Coordinates of all heavy atoms in Angstrom, one line a residue:
M188 N -4.4 11.7 10.4 CA -4.7 11.2 9.1 C -6.0 10.6 9.1 O -6.3 9.8 10.0 CB -3.6 10.3 8.6 CG -3.8 9.7 7.2 SD -2.6 8.5 6.7 CE -1.1 9.1 7.3
T189 N -6.9 10.9 8.1 CA -8.2 10.2 8.0 C -8.3 9.5 6.7 O -7.6 9.8 5.8 CB -9.3 11.3 8.2 OG1 -9.2 12.2 7.1 CG2 -9.3 12.0 9.5
F190 N -9.3 8.6 6.6 CA -9.5 7.8 5.4 C -10.9 7.8 5.0 O -11.8 8.0 5.9 CB -9.0 6.3 5.7 CG -7.6 6.2 5.8 CD1 -7.0 6.2 7.1 CD2 -6.8 6.0 4.7 CE1 -5.6 6.1 7.2 CE2 -5.4 5.8 4.8 CZ -4.8 5.9 6.1
T191 N -11.1 7.7 3.7 CA -12.5 7.5 3.2 C -12.4 6.3 2.2 O -11.4 6.0 1.7 CB -13.0 8.7 2.4 OG1 -12.0 9.0 1.3 CG2 -13.1 9.9 3.3
W192 N -13.5 5.6 2.1 CA -13.6 4.4 1.3 C -13.7 4.9 -0.2 O -14.6 5.7 -0.5 CB -14.8 3.5 1.7 CG -14.6 2.8 3.0 CD1 -15.1 3.2 4.2 CD2 -13.9 1.6 3.2 NE1 -14.7 2.3 5.2 CE2 -13.9 1.3 4.6 CE3 -13.2 0.8 2.4 CZ2 -13.3 0.2 5.1 CZ3 -12.6 -0.4 2.9 CH2 -12.7 -0.6 4.3
L193 N -12.9 4.3 -1.1 CA -13.1 4.4 -2.5 C -14.2 3.5 -3.0 O -15.0 3.8 -3.9 CB -11.8 4.1 -3.2 CG -10.6 5.0 -3.0 CD1 -9.4 4.4 -3.6 CD2 -10.9 6.4 -3.6
N194 N -14.2 2.3 -2.4 CA -15.1 1.2 -2.7 C -14.9 0.1 -1.6 O -14.2 0.4 -0.7 CB -15.0 0.6 -4.1 CG -13.5 0.2 -4.4 OD1 -12.8 -0.3 -3.6 ND2 -13.0 0.5 -5.6
K195 N -15.4 -1.1 -1.8 CA -15.2 -2.1 -0.8 C -13.8 -2.6 -0.6 O -13.5 -3.2 0.4 CB -16.1 -3.3 -1.1 CG -17.6 -3.0 -1.0 CD -18.4 -4.2 -1.3 CE -19.9 -3.9 -1.2 NZ -20.7 -5.0 -1.4
Q196 N -12.9 -2.3 -1.6 CA -11.6 -2.8 -1.6 C -10.5 -1.7 -1.5 O -9.3 -2.1 -1.6 CB -11.3 -3.7 -2.8 CG -12.2 -4.9 -2.9 CD -12.0 -5.9 -1.8 OE1 -10.9 -6.2 -1.4 NE2 -13.1 -6.4 -1.2
G197 N -10.9 -0.5 -1.4 CA -9.9 0.6 -1.5 C -10.2 1.8 -0.6 O -11.4 2.0 -0.3
V198 N -9.1 2.5 -0.2 CA -9.3 3.6 0.7 C -8.4 4.8 0.2 O -7.4 4.5 -0.5 CB -8.9 3.4 2.2 CG1 -9.9 2.3 2.8 CG2 -7.5 2.9 2.3
R199 N -8.8 6.0 0.5 CA -8.0 7.2 0.2 C -7.7 7.9 1.5 O -8.6 8.1 2.3 CB -8.8 8.1 -0.8 CG -8.0 9.4 -1.0 CD -8.8 10.3 -2.0 NE -8.9 9.7 -3.3 CZ -10.1 9.6 -3.9 NH1 -11.2 10.1 -3.4 NH2 -10.1 9.0 -5.1
S200 N -6.5 8.4 1.7 CA -6.1 9.1 2.9 C -6.3 10.6 2.7 O -6.2 11.1 1.5 CB -4.7 8.8 3.3 OG -3.8 9.6 2.6
S201 N -6.4 11.3 3.8 CA -6.4 12.8 3.7 C -5.1 13.3 3.3 O -5.0 14.5 2.9 CB -6.8 13.3 5.1 OG -5.9 12.9 6.1
E202 N -4.1 12.5 3.2 CA -2.7 13.0 2.8 C -2.6 12.7 1.3 O -1.5 13.0 0.7 CB -1.6 12.3 3.6 CG -1.6 12.8 5.0 CD -0.5 12.2 5.8 OE1 0.4 11.5 5.2 OE2 -0.4 12.5 7.0
G203 N -3.6 12.1 0.6 CA -3.5 12.0 -0.8 C -3.2 10.6 -1.4 O -3.3 10.4 -2.6
F204 N -2.7 9.7 -0.6 CA -2.4 8.4 -1.2 C -3.6 7.5 -1.1 O -4.5 7.7 -0.4 CB -1.2 7.7 -0.5 CG -1.4 7.3 0.9 CD1 -1.9 6.0 1.2 CD2 -1.1 8.1 2.0 CE1 -2.2 5.6 2.5 CE2 -1.4 7.7 3.3 CZ -1.9 6.5 3.6
E205 N -3.6 6.4 -2.0 CA -4.7 5.4 -2.0 C -4.1 4.0 -1.9 O -3.0 3.8 -2.4 CB -5.4 5.6 -3.3 CG -6.1 6.9 -3.5 CD -6.8 7.0 -4.8 OE1 -6.7 6.2 -5.7 OE2 -7.5 8.1 -5.0
L206 N -4.9 3.1 -1.4 CA -4.5 1.7 -1.4 C -5.7 1.0 -1.9 O -6.8 1.1 -1.3 CB -4.2 1.2 0.0 CG -3.8 -0.3 0.1 CD1 -2.6 -0.6 -0.7 CD2 -3.6 -0.7 1.6
Q207 N -5.6 0.2 -2.9 CA -6.7 -0.5 -3.6 C -6.3 -1.9 -3.8 O -5.3 -2.2 -4.5 CB -7.0 0.2 -4.9 CG -8.0 -0.5 -5.8 CD -9.4 -0.3 -5.3 OE1 -9.8 0.9 -5.0 NE2 -10.2 -1.3 -5.1
F208 N -7.0 -2.9 -3.2 CA -6.8 -4.3 -3.6 C -7.4 -4.5 -5.0 O -8.5 -4.1 -5.2 CB -7.5 -5.2 -2.5 CG -6.8 -5.3 -1.2 CD1 -7.0 -4.4 -0.2 CD2 -5.8 -6.3 -1.1 CE1 -6.3 -4.5 1.0 CE2 -5.1 -6.4 0.1 CZ -5.4 -5.5 1.2
T209 N -6.6 -5.1 -5.8 CA -7.0 -5.3 -7.2 C -7.3 -6.8 -7.5 O -8.0 -7.0 -8.5 CB -5.9 -4.8 -8.2 OG1 -4.7 -5.5 -7.9 CG2 -5.7 -3.3 -8.1
D210 N -6.8 -7.7 -6.8 CA -7.2 -9.1 -6.8 C -6.8 -9.8 -5.5 O -6.3 -9.1 -4.6 CB -6.7 -9.8 -8.1 CG -5.2 -10.0 -8.2 OD1 -4.5 -10.2 -7.1 OD2 -4.7 -10.1 -9.3
R211 N -6.9 -11.1 -5.5 CA -6.7 -11.8 -4.2 C -5.3 -11.5 -3.6 O -5.2 -11.5 -2.4 CB -6.9 -13.3 -4.5 CG -6.8 -14.1 -3.2 CD -7.1 -15.5 -3.4 NE -6.9 -16.2 -2.2 CZ -6.9 -17.5 -2.1 NH1 -7.1 -18.3 -3.1 NH2 -6.8 -18.1 -0.9
F212 N -4.3 -11.4 -4.4 CA -2.9 -11.3 -3.9 C -2.2 -10.0 -4.3 O -1.0 -9.9 -4.1 CB -2.0 -12.5 -4.3 CG -2.5 -13.8 -3.7 CD1 -3.0 -14.7 -4.5 CD2 -2.4 -14.0 -2.3 CE1 -3.5 -15.9 -4.0 CE2 -2.9 -15.2 -1.8 CZ -3.4 -16.2 -2.6
K213 N -2.9 -9.0 -4.8 CA -2.3 -7.8 -5.3 C -3.1 -6.6 -4.8 O -4.3 -6.6 -4.7 CB -2.2 -7.7 -6.8 CG -1.2 -8.7 -7.4 CD -1.1 -8.5 -8.8 CE -0.2 -9.6 -9.4 NZ -0.2 -9.6 -10.8
A214 N -2.3 -5.5 -4.5 CA -2.9 -4.2 -4.2 C -2.0 -3.2 -4.9 O -0.9 -3.4 -5.2 CB -2.8 -4.0 -2.7
E215 N -2.7 -2.1 -5.2 CA -2.0 -0.9 -5.8 C -1.9 0.2 -4.7 O -2.9 0.5 -4.1 CB -2.7 -0.4 -7.0 CG -2.6 -1.2 -8.2 CD -3.3 -0.6 -9.4 OE1 -3.9 0.5 -9.3 OE2 -3.1 -1.2 -10.5
Y216 N -0.7 0.7 -4.6 CA -0.5 1.9 -3.8 C -0.3 3.1 -4.8 O 0.6 3.0 -5.6 CB 0.7 1.7 -2.9 CG 1.1 2.9 -2.1 CD1 0.5 3.2 -0.9 CD2 2.1 3.8 -2.6 CE1 0.9 4.3 -0.2 CE2 2.4 4.9 -1.9 CZ 1.8 5.2 -0.7 OH 2.1 6.3 0.1
R217 N -1.1 4.1 -4.6 CA -1.0 5.3 -5.5 C -0.7 6.5 -4.7 O -1.3 6.8 -3.7 CB -2.4 5.4 -6.2 CG -2.8 4.2 -7.0 CD -4.2 4.4 -7.5 NE -4.8 3.1 -8.0 CZ -6.0 2.7 -7.6 NH1 -6.7 3.4 -6.8 NH2 -6.4 1.5 -8.0
E218 N 0.2 7.3 -5.3 CA 0.6 8.5 -4.6 C 1.2 9.5 -5.7 O 2.1 9.1 -6.4 CB 1.7 8.2 -3.6 CG 2.3 9.3 -2.8 CD 3.4 8.9 -1.9 OE1 3.1 8.2 -0.9 OE2 4.5 9.2 -2.1
N219 N 0.7 10.7 -5.7 CA 1.2 11.8 -6.6 C 1.3 11.3 -8.0 O 2.3 11.6 -8.7 CB 2.6 12.3 -6.1 CG 2.5 12.9 -4.7 OD1 1.6 13.6 -4.4 ND2 3.6 12.7 -3.9
G220 N 0.3 10.6 -8.5 CA 0.2 10.2 -9.9 C 1.1 9.0 -10.2 O 1.3 8.6 -11.4
R221 N 1.7 8.4 -9.2 CA 2.5 7.2 -9.4 C 1.9 6.0 -8.7 O 1.1 6.2 -7.8 CB 3.9 7.5 -8.8 CG 4.7 8.5 -9.6 CD 6.1 8.7 -9.0 NE 6.8 9.6 -9.9 CZ 7.0 10.9 -9.7 NH1 6.4 11.5 -8.6 NH2 7.7 11.6 -10.5
T222 N 2.2 4.8 -9.2 CA 1.6 3.6 -8.7 C 2.6 2.5 -8.6 O 3.5 2.4 -9.4 CB 0.5 3.1 -9.7 OG1 -0.5 4.1 -9.9 CG2 -0.2 1.9 -9.2
T223 N 2.5 1.7 -7.6 CA 3.2 0.5 -7.4 C 2.3 -0.6 -7.0 O 1.3 -0.4 -6.3 CB 4.4 0.6 -6.4 OG1 5.2 -0.5 -6.4 CG2 3.9 0.8 -5.0
Q224 N 2.6 -1.8 -7.6 CA 1.8 -3.0 -7.3 C 2.5 -3.7 -6.2 O 3.8 -3.9 -6.3 CB 1.6 -3.9 -8.5 CG 0.6 -3.3 -9.4 CD 0.0 -4.3 -10.4 OE1 0.4 -5.5 -10.3 NE2 -0.9 -3.9 -11.2
I225 N 1.8 -4.2 -5.2 CA 2.4 -4.9 -4.1 C 1.7 -6.3 -3.9 O 0.5 -6.4 -4.0 CB 2.1 -4.1 -2.8 CG1 2.7 -2.7 -2.9 CG2 2.7 -4.8 -1.6 CD1 2.3 -1.7 -1.8
H226 N 2.5 -7.3 -3.7 CA 2.0 -8.6 -3.4 C 1.6 -8.6 -2.0 O 2.4 -8.4 -1.1 CB 3.0 -9.7 -3.7 CG 2.6 -11.1 -3.4 ND1 1.8 -11.8 -4.3 CD2 2.6 -11.8 -2.3 CE1 1.5 -13.0 -3.8 NE2 2.0 -13.0 -2.6
V227 N 0.3 -8.9 -1.7 CA -0.3 -8.9 -0.4 C -1.0 -10.2 -0.1 O -1.8 -10.6 -1.0 CB -1.2 -7.8 -0.1 CG1 -1.8 -7.8 1.3 CG2 -0.6 -6.4 -0.5
E228 N -0.7 -10.9 1.0 CA -1.5 -12.1 1.4 C -2.2 -11.7 2.7 O -1.6 -11.3 3.6 CB -0.6 -13.3 1.5 CG 0.0 -13.7 0.2 CD 0.7 -15.0 0.2 OE1 0.3 -15.9 1.0 OE2 1.7 -15.2 -0.5
T229 N -3.5 -12.0 2.7 CA -4.2 -11.7 4.0 C -4.7 -13.1 4.6 O -5.1 -14.0 3.9 CB -5.5 -10.8 3.7 OG1 -6.3 -11.5 2.7 CG2 -5.1 -9.5 3.2
S230 N -4.6 -13.1 5.9 CA -5.0 -14.3 6.6 C -5.2 -13.9 8.1 O -4.3 -13.3 8.7 CB -4.0 -15.4 6.5 OG -4.3 -16.5 7.3
G231 N -6.3 -14.3 8.7 CA -6.6 -14.1 10.1 C -6.5 -12.6 10.6 O -6.0 -12.4 11.6
G232 N -6.9 -11.7 9.7 CA -6.8 -10.3 10.1 C -5.4 -9.6 9.9 O -5.3 -8.5 10.2
N233 N -4.5 -10.4 9.3 CA -3.2 -9.8 9.0 C -3.0 -9.7 7.5 O -3.6 -10.4 6.7 CB -2.1 -10.7 9.5 CG -2.0 -10.8 11.0 OD1 -2.2 -9.8 11.7 ND2 -1.7 -11.9 11.5
A234 N -2.2 -8.7 7.1 CA -1.9 -8.5 5.7 C -0.3 -8.6 5.6 O 0.4 -7.8 6.2 CB -2.3 -7.1 5.2
Y235 N 0.1 -9.6 4.9 CA 1.6 -9.9 4.8 C 2.1 -9.4 3.5 O 1.6 -9.6 2.4 CB 1.8 -11.4 4.8 CG 1.3 -12.1 6.1 CD1 0.0 -12.6 6.2 CD2 2.1 -12.2 7.2 CE1 -0.5 -13.1 7.4 CE2 1.7 -12.8 8.4 CZ 0.4 -13.2 8.4 OH -0.1 -13.8 9.6
I236 N 3.2 -8.6 3.6 CA 3.9 -8.1 2.4 C 5.4 -8.3 2.5 O 5.9 -8.4 3.6 CB 3.6 -6.6 2.1 CG1 4.2 -5.7 3.2 CG2 2.1 -6.3 1.9 CD1 4.3 -4.3 2.8
D237 N 6.1 -8.4 1.4 CA 7.5 -8.5 1.4 C 8.0 -7.1 1.1 O 7.7 -6.4 0.1 CB 7.9 -9.4 0.2 CG 9.4 -9.5 0.1 OD1 10.2 -8.9 0.9 OD2 9.9 -10.1 -0.9
E238 N 8.8 -6.6 2.1 CA 9.3 -5.2 2.0 C 10.0 -4.9 0.6 O 10.0 -3.9 0.1 CB 10.3 -4.9 3.1 CG 10.8 -3.5 3.1 CD 11.7 -3.2 4.3 OE1 11.9 -4.1 5.2 OE2 12.2 -2.1 4.4
E239 N 10.7 -5.9 0.1 CA 11.4 -5.8 -1.2 C 10.5 -5.5 -2.3 O 10.9 -5.1 -3.4 CB 12.3 -7.0 -1.4 CG 13.4 -7.2 -0.4 CD 14.3 -5.9 -0.2 OE1 14.8 -5.4 -1.3 OE2 14.6 -5.5 0.9
S240 N 9.2 -5.9 -2.2 CA 8.3 -5.7 -3.3 C 7.9 -4.2 -3.4 O 7.3 -3.8 -4.4 CB 7.0 -6.5 -3.1 OG 6.2 -6.0 -2.1
I241 N 8.3 -3.4 -2.4 CA 8.0 -2.0 -2.5 C 9.2 -1.3 -2.9 O 10.0 -0.7 -2.2 CB 7.5 -1.5 -1.1 CG1 6.4 -2.3 -0.6 CG2 7.2 0.0 -1.2 CD1 6.0 -2.0 0.8
D242 N 9.5 -1.4 -4.2 CA 10.8 -0.8 -4.7 C 10.6 0.2 -5.9 O 11.5 0.8 -6.3 CB 11.8 -1.9 -5.0 CG 11.4 -2.7 -6.2 OD1 10.2 -2.6 -6.6 OD2 12.2 -3.6 -6.6
R243 N 9.4 0.3 -6.4 CA 9.2 1.1 -7.6 C 7.9 1.8 -7.5 O 6.9 1.3 -7.0 CB 9.3 0.3 -8.9 CG 10.6 -0.3 -9.1 CD 10.8 -0.6 -10.5 NE 12.2 -1.2 -10.7 CZ 13.3 -0.5 -11.0 NH1 13.2 0.8 -11.0 NH2 14.4 -1.1 -11.1
L244 N 7.9 3.1 -7.9 CA 6.7 3.8 -8.2 C 6.7 4.2 -9.7 O 7.6 4.8 -10.1 CB 6.6 5.1 -7.3 CG 6.4 4.9 -5.9 CD1 6.5 6.3 -5.2 CD2 5.0 4.4 -5.6
A245 N 5.7 3.8 -10.4 CA 5.6 4.0 -11.8 C 5.0 5.4 -12.2 O 4.2 5.9 -11.4 CB 4.8 2.9 -12.5
G246 N 5.4 5.9 -13.3 CA 4.8 7.1 -13.9 C 5.5 8.4 -13.6 O 4.8 9.2 -13.0
P247 N 6.6 8.7 -14.0 CA 7.6 7.8 -14.7 C 8.2 6.8 -13.7 O 8.3 7.1 -12.5 CB 8.6 8.7 -15.3 CG 8.6 9.9 -14.4 CD 7.2 10.0 -13.9
F248 N 8.7 5.7 -14.3 CA 9.2 4.6 -13.4 C 10.5 5.1 -12.7 O 11.4 5.6 -13.3 CB 9.6 3.4 -14.3 CG 9.1 2.1 -13.8 CD1 7.8 1.8 -13.7 CD2 10.0 1.2 -13.4 CE1 7.4 0.6 -13.2 CE2 9.6 0.0 -12.9 CZ 8.3 -0.3 -12.8
E249 N 10.5 5.0 -11.4 CA 11.7 5.4 -10.7 C 11.8 4.5 -9.5 O 10.9 4.1 -8.9 CB 11.6 6.9 -10.2 CG 10.4 7.2 -9.3 CD 10.4 8.7 -9.0 OE1 10.3 9.5 -10.0 OE2 10.3 9.0 -7.8
S250 N 13.1 4.2 -9.1 CA 13.3 3.4 -8.0 C 13.2 4.2 -6.7 O 13.5 5.4 -6.6 CB 14.8 2.8 -8.0 OG 14.9 2.0 -9.1
L251 N 12.8 3.5 -5.6 CA 12.8 4.1 -4.3 C 14.1 3.8 -3.6 O 14.5 2.7 -3.7 CB 11.6 3.6 -3.5 CG 10.2 4.0 -3.8 CD1 9.2 3.2 -3.0 CD2 10.1 5.5 -3.5
P252 N 14.6 4.7 -2.8 CA 15.8 4.4 -2.0 C 15.3 3.5 -0.9 O 14.2 3.5 -0.5 CB 16.2 5.8 -1.5 CG 15.0 6.6 -1.6 CD 14.2 6.1 -2.7
P253 N 16.2 2.6 -0.4 CA 15.8 1.7 0.7 C 15.5 2.4 2.0 O 14.9 1.8 2.9 CB 17.0 0.8 0.9 CG 18.1 1.3 0.0 CD 17.6 2.4 -0.8
G254 N 15.7 3.7 2.1 CA 15.5 4.3 3.4 C 14.1 5.0 3.5 O 13.1 4.3 3.5
A255 N 14.1 6.3 3.6 CA 12.9 7.1 4.0 C 11.7 6.8 3.1 O 10.6 6.8 3.5 CB 13.2 8.5 4.0
G256 N 11.9 6.7 1.7 CA 10.8 6.6 0.8 C 10.0 5.3 1.1 O 8.8 5.3 1.2
R257 N 10.7 4.2 1.3 CA 10.1 2.9 1.5 C 9.5 2.9 2.9 O 8.4 2.4 3.1 CB 11.1 1.8 1.4 CG 10.5 0.4 1.5 CD 11.5 -0.6 1.3 NE 11.9 -0.7 -0.1 CZ 13.0 -1.3 -0.5 NH1 13.8 -1.9 0.3 NH2 13.3 -1.3 -1.8
E258 N 10.1 3.5 3.9 CA 9.6 3.5 5.2 C 8.3 4.3 5.3 O 7.4 4.0 6.0 CB 10.6 4.1 6.2 CG 11.8 3.2 6.5 CD 12.9 3.9 7.3 OE1 12.7 5.0 7.8 OE2 14.0 3.3 7.3
R259 N 8.2 5.4 4.5 CA 7.0 6.3 4.5 C 5.9 5.5 3.9 O 4.7 5.5 4.4 CB 7.3 7.5 3.7 CG 6.1 8.4 3.5 CD 6.4 9.7 2.7 NE 7.1 9.4 1.5 CZ 6.6 8.8 0.4 NH1 5.4 8.5 0.3 NH2 7.4 8.6 -0.7
I260 N 6.2 4.7 2.8 CA 5.1 3.9 2.2 C 4.6 2.8 3.1 O 3.4 2.6 3.2 CB 5.6 3.4 0.8 CG1 5.7 4.5 -0.2 CG2 4.6 2.3 0.3 CD1 6.4 4.1 -1.5
I261 N 5.5 2.2 3.8 CA 5.2 1.1 4.7 C 4.3 1.7 5.9 O 3.3 1.1 6.2 CB 6.4 0.4 5.3 CG1 7.0 -0.5 4.2 CG2 6.0 -0.5 6.5 CD1 8.3 -1.1 4.5
R262 N 4.7 2.9 6.4 CA 3.9 3.6 7.4 C 2.5 3.9 6.8 O 1.4 3.6 7.5 CB 4.5 4.8 7.8 CG 3.8 5.6 9.0 CD 4.5 6.9 9.4 NE 4.5 7.8 8.3 CZ 5.6 8.3 7.7 NH1 6.8 7.8 8.0 NH2 5.6 9.1 6.7
N263 N 2.4 4.4 5.6 CA 1.1 4.7 5.0 C 0.3 3.4 4.8 O -0.9 3.4 5.1 CB 1.3 5.4 3.6 CG 1.8 6.8 3.8 OD1 1.8 7.4 4.9 ND2 2.3 7.3 2.7
L264 N 0.9 2.3 4.4 CA 0.2 1.0 4.2 C -0.3 0.6 5.5 O -1.5 0.1 5.6 CB 1.2 0.0 3.6 CG 1.6 0.1 2.1 CD1 2.7 -0.8 1.8 CD2 0.4 0.0 1.2
R265 N 0.5 0.7 6.6 CA 0.1 0.2 7.9 C -1.2 0.9 8.3 O -2.2 0.3 8.8 CB 1.2 0.4 8.9 CG 0.9 0.0 10.3 CD 2.1 0.0 11.2 NE 2.8 -1.3 11.0 CZ 4.0 -1.3 10.5 NH1 4.7 -0.2 10.2 NH2 4.6 -2.5 10.3
E266 N -1.2 2.2 8.1 CA -2.4 3.0 8.6 C -3.6 2.7 7.7 O -4.7 2.6 8.2 CB -2.1 4.5 8.6 CG -1.0 4.8 9.7 CD -0.8 6.3 9.9 OE1 -1.8 7.1 9.7 OE2 0.3 6.7 10.2
A267 N -3.4 2.6 6.4 CA -4.5 2.3 5.5 C -5.1 0.9 5.8 O -6.3 0.7 5.8 CB -4.1 2.4 4.0
L268 N -4.3 -0.1 6.0 CA -4.7 -1.4 6.3 C -5.4 -1.4 7.7 O -6.4 -2.1 7.8 CB -3.6 -2.4 6.3 CG -3.1 -2.7 4.9 CD1 -1.7 -3.4 4.9 CD2 -4.1 -3.5 4.0
A269 N -4.9 -0.7 8.6 CA -5.6 -0.6 10.0 C -7.0 -0.1 9.8 O -7.9 -0.6 10.4 CB -4.8 0.2 10.9
F270 N -7.2 0.9 9.0 CA -8.5 1.5 8.7 C -9.4 0.4 8.2 O -10.6 0.4 8.4 CB -8.4 2.7 7.8 CG -9.7 3.3 7.4 CD1 -10.4 4.1 8.3 CD2 -10.3 3.0 6.2 CE1 -11.6 4.7 8.0 CE2 -11.6 3.5 5.9 CZ -12.2 4.4 6.7
Q271 N -8.9 -0.5 7.4 CA -9.6 -1.6 6.8 C -9.8 -2.8 7.7 O -10.3 -3.8 7.3 CB -9.0 -2.0 5.4 CG -9.0 -0.9 4.4 CD -8.3 -1.3 3.1 OE1 -8.7 -2.3 2.5 NE2 -7.3 -0.6 2.8
G272 N -9.2 -2.7 8.9 CA -9.3 -3.8 9.9 C -8.3 -4.8 9.8 O -8.4 -6.0 10.3
L273 N -7.1 -4.5 9.1 CA -6.1 -5.5 9.0 C -4.8 -5.0 9.6 O -4.6 -3.8 9.7 CB -5.8 -5.7 7.5 CG -6.9 -6.4 6.7 CD1 -6.6 -6.2 5.2 CD2 -7.1 -7.8 7.1
T274 N -4.0 -5.9 10.1 CA -2.7 -5.6 10.7 C -1.6 -5.9 9.7 O -1.5 -7.0 9.2 CB -2.4 -6.4 12.0 OG1 -3.5 -6.1 12.9 CG2 -1.1 -6.0 12.6
L275 N -0.7 -4.9 9.4 CA 0.4 -5.1 8.4 C 1.5 -5.9 9.1 O 2.0 -5.6 10.2 CB 0.9 -3.8 8.0 CG 2.1 -3.9 7.0 CD1 1.7 -4.6 5.7 CD2 2.6 -2.5 6.7
V276 N 2.0 -7.0 8.4 CA 3.1 -7.7 8.8 C 4.1 -7.7 7.6 O 3.8 -8.1 6.5 CB 2.8 -9.2 9.1 CG1 4.0 -10.0 9.5 CG2 1.7 -9.3 10.2
V277 N 5.3 -7.1 7.9 CA 6.3 -6.9 6.8 C 7.4 -7.9 7.0 O 7.9 -8.1 8.1 CB 6.9 -5.5 6.9 CG1 8.0 -5.3 5.8 CG2 5.8 -4.4 6.8
G278 N 7.7 -8.6 5.9 CA 8.7 -9.7 5.9 C 9.8 -9.4 5.0 O 9.9 -8.5 4.3

């Protein structure tokens, strides 16, 4: 998987998803025309997220199952953040 910069705060993967920081504590994860907002706190090279905050993809609004869908998104987030120089910490 490779990444390109959208701008100083966002990246796009070769697999089609995007991660864009929208303000100090929020990021948008976009995939297949759907978007979810994630609360993210960064400190000391780490990006902290609450796994439970990754539960919906909008457009149309649908819930993610607690298994494979959420795990795939977390894996994608981990790789996108690593490209940006951050380590994902899931709580």
Side-chain angles (χ1 to χ4, degrees):
M188 178 180 328
T189 60
F190 290 91
T191 56
W192 289 97
L193 295 169
N194 53 41
K195 292 180 181 180
Q196 299 296 318
V198 296
R199 176 180 295 130
S200 87
S201 58
E202 294 185 2
F204 69 87
E205 297 176 353
L206 179 64
Q207 174 75 49
F208 283 90
T209 56
D210 69 31
R211 184 173 178 193
F212 296 112
K213 289 185 185 168
E215 285 186 356
Y216 174 85
R217 304 175 193 128
E218 178 182 293
N219 297 324
R221 294 182 170 97
T222 302
T223 188
Q224 288 199 358
I225 302 167
H226 179 85
V227 181
E228 293 189 32
T229 59
S230 176
N233 292 322
Y235 300 90
I236 65 165
D237 177 5
E238 181 177 0
E239 297 302 313
S240 71
I241 306 170
D242 63 353
R243 298 202 176 271
L244 286 173
F248 226 67
E249 62 184 53
S250 294
L251 285 172
R257 186 177 290 162
E258 290 172 13
R259 177 181 46 75
I260 290 174
I261 290 172
R262 183 181 64 246
N263 290 347
L264 289 171
R265 181 170 278 115
E266 293 189 33
L268 289 165
F270 178 79
Q271 296 178 61
L273 296 167
T274 300
L275 177 63
V276 179
V277 180

